[in-house]
Amino acid sequence: VLAIAAADGDTLAGDYAGHITGSLDDGSSTNAFLATVTGGTGRFAGATGSFSGTGQANLATLQESRAFSGTISAASRGHS
């Protein structure tokens, strides 16, 4: 399950899949993932799209970095 909350409480929702590999010997891990956005709340209501990413983590210091790439589209808003 994908759930991302913005500072104002609006959320993106969808599905998330990925894998983590690592070594307890040197305390490192790498991850790769794919997320599909299927909606949300507030300004993200009706959002669709997908993004993927990779990351590295140091398990000893709990520091992590990630890179993301993809497109998220807002639902079209009617004009009155």
Side-chain angles (χ1 to χ4, degrees):
V1 172
L2 171 72
I4 300 173
D8 65 359
D10 294 351
T11 62
L12 277 173
D15 298 308
Y16 175 93
H19 66 273
I20 298 173
T21 58
S23 168
L24 293 178
D25 293 332
D26 68 6
S28 66
S29 72
T30 59
N31 60 69
F33 59 91
L34 174 63
T36 303
V37 176
T38 58
T41 64
R43 69 181 182 271
F44 301 122
T48 59
S50 64
F51 60 94
S52 60
T54 59
Q56 297 80 38
N58 181 316
L59 303 176
T61 64
L62 301 179
Q63 294 181 323
E64 181 179 20
S65 65
R66 290 188 180 189
F68 300 88
S69 178
T71 301
I72 299 172
S73 299
S76 63
R77 307 277 188 226
H79 297 285
S80 5

